[in-house]
Amino acid sequence: MKQLKGSADLASIVVRELTKRYGNLTAVNQISLVVETGEIFGMLGPNGAGKTTTVEILVGLRTADAGEVKVLGFDPVTEDKKLKRSIGVQLQMPALFPRLTVEEALQLNATFYPDPFPVDQVLEWMGLTDRRKMFTHKLSGGQLQRLIVGMAIIGNGKVLFLDEPTTGLDPQARHNLWDVFQLLQKMGKTIFLTTHYMEEAQYLCDRVAIIDHGSIIALGTPDQLIGDQFEEKAIELSEMGSENETILRELPGVTRVQTAHNQITLYSTHVEATIRELIQLEAEQRLAISGLAIRKASLEDVFLKLTGRSIRQ
Ligand SMILES: Nc1ncnc2c1ncn2[C@@H]1O[C@H](COP(=O)(O)OP(=O)(O)OP(=O)(O)O)[C@@H](O)[C@H]1O
Ligand SMILES: [Mg+2]
């Protein structure tokens, strides 16, 4: 069968015109998306954008004010009993029983599912084998985070909802989790995750949606989003103050200039011409260039351009 990207026939998750309000605040505003079976789908957005609200509606923890949601063909609210055995859920702020050990917590979650993974397997995936006898309230932040992801995975559900699964993890642990998610994908799982790490989304996700103020403002593969927003390459200049912005804006090829944390990024359609002029300016001592780097535009550039905010601001 020909695979249709975003086709409702092959979909594990279908969201149509979903809206959720908290009093006067519209936290989720008429979003629509389809997640195919076997896809890793990422939802990105600034703090307060509506990601957790969306996840909580998808797993039946909150009711929508308008719109339609189907997960594996089930309505998450009215058909929650049928759905629960087929999905794994990791919430951003979970409640845990403090007087359980790591392996007891995993074991407990496994009992809710018909065909769970073995506890030993999940302990190994999460790098928690040597912490198995430890009480959960004694775990470090990163260890606890890995436990709650493990608790979502252990059920061997068809669809996994992971709300910021790698937040607070060290780089090694984060990369280990990426390997686990890819392994689960190879087993045929569908993964819906949220993240603030743009390199994670770019590496891991088949498609991403960027959400801001409750609305989806971009949706596609990371490469599509980058290609749609940037024909330019990025030229980074470190240790340069924003007082030079005006000169830089006038350089040939430059379409945009972004300043953040003592670093200036020039987006240029004609990198060679831009660099030539930069060097000329330095020769004339009108600019001091240090830490020059050229790179392709990334998902982070797209995020900054579309939301106008840097991550975690
Ligand atoms: N129970 C609630 N009552 C009232 N307002 C809420 C509630 N939960 C969330 N909100 C508001 O809804 C908006 C969306 O919140 P949500 O938690 O979905 O954002 P998020 O994208 O997950 O953000 P973060 O990246 O910080 O986790 C925010 O403005 C938040 O303050
Ligand atoms: Mg959230």
Side-chain angles (χ1 to χ4, degrees), residues 22-23 25-28 45-54 56 62 92 163-164 194 196 211 312:
Y22 299 112
L25 176 86
T26 304
V28 174
N47 290 144
K51 302 178 296 296
T52 296
T53 303
T54 304
E56 288 176 349
R62 282 190 193 284
Q92 193 177 0
D163 195 358
E164 296 195 32
T194 74
H196 287 290
I211 181 171
R312 287 272 175 222

Side-chain angles (χ1 to χ4, degrees), residues 196-216:
H196 287 290
Y197 301 107
M198 295 300 125
E199 81 283 10
E200 172 167 297
Q202 193 158 351
Y203 177 78
L204 207 54
C205 296
D206 299 302
R207 290 187 305 142
V208 297
I210 300 180
I211 181 171
D212 197 13
H213 303 296
S215 300
I216 290 179

Side-chain angles (χ1 to χ4, degrees), residues 41 50 62 245:
F41 188 93
R62 282 190 193 284
E245 239 185 270

Side-chain angles (χ1 to χ4, degrees), residues 26 41 60 77 118 181 203 239 271 286 305:
T26 304
F41 188 93
V77 175
F181 296 160
Y203 177 78
E239 294 164 45
V271 172
R286 292 169 61 196
K305 182 174 173 185

Side-chain angles (χ1 to χ4, degrees), residues 247-268:
I247 304 179
L248 297 172
R249 238 177 254 286
E250 302 298 319
L251 292 174
V254 169
T255 52
R256 270 163 51 80
V257 177
Q258 180 101 42
T259 312
H261 317 299
N262 238 2
Q263 173 169 301
I264 293 192
T265 307
L266 311 177
Y267 297 95
S268 171

Side-chain angles (χ1 to χ4, degrees), residues 168-181:
L169 297 192
D170 67 50
Q172 174 80 47
R174 174 167 303 132
H175 286 113
N176 286 345
L177 272 204
W178 294 357
D179 290 344
V180 173
F181 296 160

